[in-house]
Amino acid sequence: MSLENIKFAYWVPNVSGGLVVSNIEQRTSWDIDYNRKLAQIAEASGFEYALSQIRFIAGYGAEYQHESVSFSHALLAATTKLKVIAAILPGPWDPVLVAKQIATIDILTAGRVAVNIVSGWFKGEFVSIGQPWLEHDERYRRSEEFIEVLKGIWTQDNFTYKGDFYRINNFSLKPKPQQLPHPEIFQGGSSRAARDMASRVSQWYFTNGNTVEGIKAQIDDIKIKAAANKHDIKIGVNAFIIARDTEAEAKAVLAEIIEKANPEAVNAFGHEVKQAGAASPEGEGNWAKSSFEDLVQYNDGFKTNLIGTPAQIAERIVALKAVGVDLILSGFLHFQEEVAYFGEKVLPLVRELEAQKTSIAA
């Protein structure tokens, strides 16, 4: 097990509708004032990262969306330690523009910005904004070129690149980012193409929620691939966290979320993402095996089972760390108050358990 403390990130609610597709009350807002305060609470509570979402349209309750890069910069300006990960969608975004934007933000915020390269799962979104919709593996091939171009521009002068999707000619970015060798690069996905890409070019790999056994199988596979490529990769796992003083209270909240799910929106989302997963050559990928109940939290966050008392959740987090998880990407029902509760009640128990494990190992 890693000697480093497991890290915590939260989903920035920069889209409307919260993190569950349910009519249950969610005391979470997508406006900037709420999000600035949330970022400050998260930073004080021990969270190291926040991930801003990228959406142009959505048909599952997320009607309004703030753009990811500019929103991330606003959160960075309101904090001093938190690193904000801006989600980027190759296709609408050009890697030269992203390299320049992120380099500038990195300098303005003393090296606290990162990127999450999203290959895309929502065909309707691409059609609506006039972008070509590539086949599954082609989307990942484009993303890999996108990352190679970012790295080249951020680290080299007179950078030249001749790919199938991007061509750069003797370009020198000045100034370059403050972080060395460059801002951190995250990506998501569970398909073979996603794991192959991560094992070659990304520093972090996000996967949807799953059981400990399911996550271990994914991590084992990607670590073997990365070792063959002489590449290091860290793992982040999505989880929807419901921490309450008693297990019964936590389970009751989950039951109410499911009971009040918006079936039309959940099924519309499920239709889109299952098409995306089934389109991979192996018919796998994120959401390929998700049930209706899983899809109510749209990144399978309930499957990770961080639902219960602070002690139960802390033990499950350390079990995830034991199979190779480096970061928990978390969602909450009522973000500000639950992030604060997590920082006060759960995170100290996680650190205690980690210290015990380290002591035993020594």
Side-chain angles (χ1 to χ4, degrees):
M1 187 164 71
S2 172
L3 295 178
E4 287 188 30
N5 284 341
I6 194 166
K7 300 179 187 302
F8 294 93
Y10 73 92
W11 284 97
V12 173
N14 58 310
V15 303
S16 61
L19 265 289
V20 291
V21 190
S22 172
N23 295 321
I24 191 172
E25 180 191 16
Q26 299 185 62
R27 292 190 291 277
T28 292
S29 171
W30 62 293
D31 72 45
I32 186 60
D33 289 339
Y34 180 93
N35 271 282
R36 284 195 186 104
K37 181 66 176 174
L38 171 59
Q40 291 163 353
I41 291 170
E43 185 174 72
S45 298
F47 284 72
E48 294 178 59
Y49 293 92
L51 172 61
S52 295
Q53 304 170 62
I54 175 60
R55 292 283 182 275
F56 288 88
I57 63 169
Y60 49 92
E63 185 176 4
Y64 301 103
Q65 315 91 24
H66 287 301
E67 189 275 318
S68 177
V69 176
S70 46
F71 205 80
S72 296
H73 192 198
L75 300 184
L76 288 162
T79 52
T80 58
K81 295 183 294 183
L82 192 71
K83 182 173 278 190
V84 183
I85 310 161
I88 303 291
L89 193 61
W93 261 288
D94 177 88
V96 176
L97 174 60
V98 171
K100 188 68 175 171
Q101 277 183 306
I102 296 299
T104 298
I105 294 173
D106 199 53
I107 291 166
L108 295 178
T109 62
R112 292 192 294 122
V113 69
V115 293
N116 179 41
I117 304 304
V118 181
S119 295
W121 53 265
F122 191 4
K123 182 178 179 181
E125 182 174 57
F126 277 70
V127 171
S128 288
I129 61 175
Q131 288 288 324
W133 177 246
L134 304 180
E135 294 300 319
H136 179 274
D137 282 13
E138 287 295 284
R139 297 200 297 277
Y140 280 97
R141 205 161 68 82
R142 176 173 62 184
S143 292
E144 185 161 344
E145 284 196 8
F146 194 101
I147 291 171
E148 288 172 346
V149 171
L150 283 183
K151 287 181 176 179
I153 290 174
W154 280 337
T155 60
Q156 300 175 36
D157 284 332
N158 307 113
F159 177 65
T160 293
Y161 187 89
K162 305 296 181 189
D164 291 336
F165 299 94
Y166 304 108
R167 290 185 171 247
I168 311 297
N169 299 298
N170 194 35
F171 176 55
S172 296
L173 177 73
K174 295 181 179 179
K176 290 187 169 46
Q178 178 172 322
Q179 292 181 79
L180 296 175
H182 51 72
E184 290 178 284
I185 297 173
F186 293 70
Q187 70 153 95
S190 292
S191 65
R192 173 201 44 76
R195 294 197 295 266
D196 287 352
M197 176 177 125
S199 73
R200 289 191 288 261
V201 295
S202 301
Q203 291 163 284
W204 284 90
Y205 171 75
F206 280 135
T207 186
N208 274 6
N210 205 338
T211 61
V212 172
E213 294 75 19
I215 291 166
K216 181 178 185 305
Q218 277 185 285
I219 293 175
D220 289 348
D221 176 66
I222 200 168
K223 293 283 187 180
I224 290 170
K225 293 175 190 287
N229 294 323
K230 296 182 171 52
H231 183 72
D232 290 326
I233 184 84
K234 293 184 177 180
I235 309 295
V237 172
N238 184 62
F240 193 81
I241 298 175
I242 306 175
R244 297 294 187 272
D245 291 342
T246 69
E247 183 178 12
E249 287 178 82
K251 287 186 173 178
V253 172
L254 175 62
E256 186 180 355
I257 291 172
I258 302 293
E259 181 188 342
K260 294 182 178 177
N262 180 333
E264 183 179 348
V266 173
N267 287 328
F269 173 69
H271 174 74
E272 289 289 341
V273 297
K274 283 180 180 292
Q275 271 197 331
S280 65
E282 70 277 20
E284 289 286 346
N286 283 337
W287 305 289
K289 299 174 182 173
S290 301
S291 67
F292 177 90
E293 288 75 14
D294 296 330
L295 292 169
V296 176
Q297 203 293 302
Y298 44 73
N299 285 99
D300 285 339
F302 302 145
K303 285 185 178 177
T304 313
N305 193 27
L306 299 188
I307 297 165
T309 66
Q312 289 172 322
I313 291 173
E315 288 171 3
R316 292 167 191 164
I317 288 171
V318 174
L320 289 166
K321 179 181 175 181
V323 299
V325 172
D326 300 289
L327 178 148
I328 304 292
L329 175 58
S330 51
F332 299 88
L333 193 61
H334 314 301
F335 263 85
Q336 287 185 358
E337 56 212 81
E338 293 193 34
V339 163
Y341 182 92
F342 184 87
E344 180 184 353
K345 302 284 187 179
V346 181
L347 216 151
L349 297 179
V350 173
R351 299 302 182 222
E352 273 182 35
L353 289 173
E354 287 180 309
Q356 289 173 15
K357 300 280 185 187
T358 302
S359 175
I360 292 169

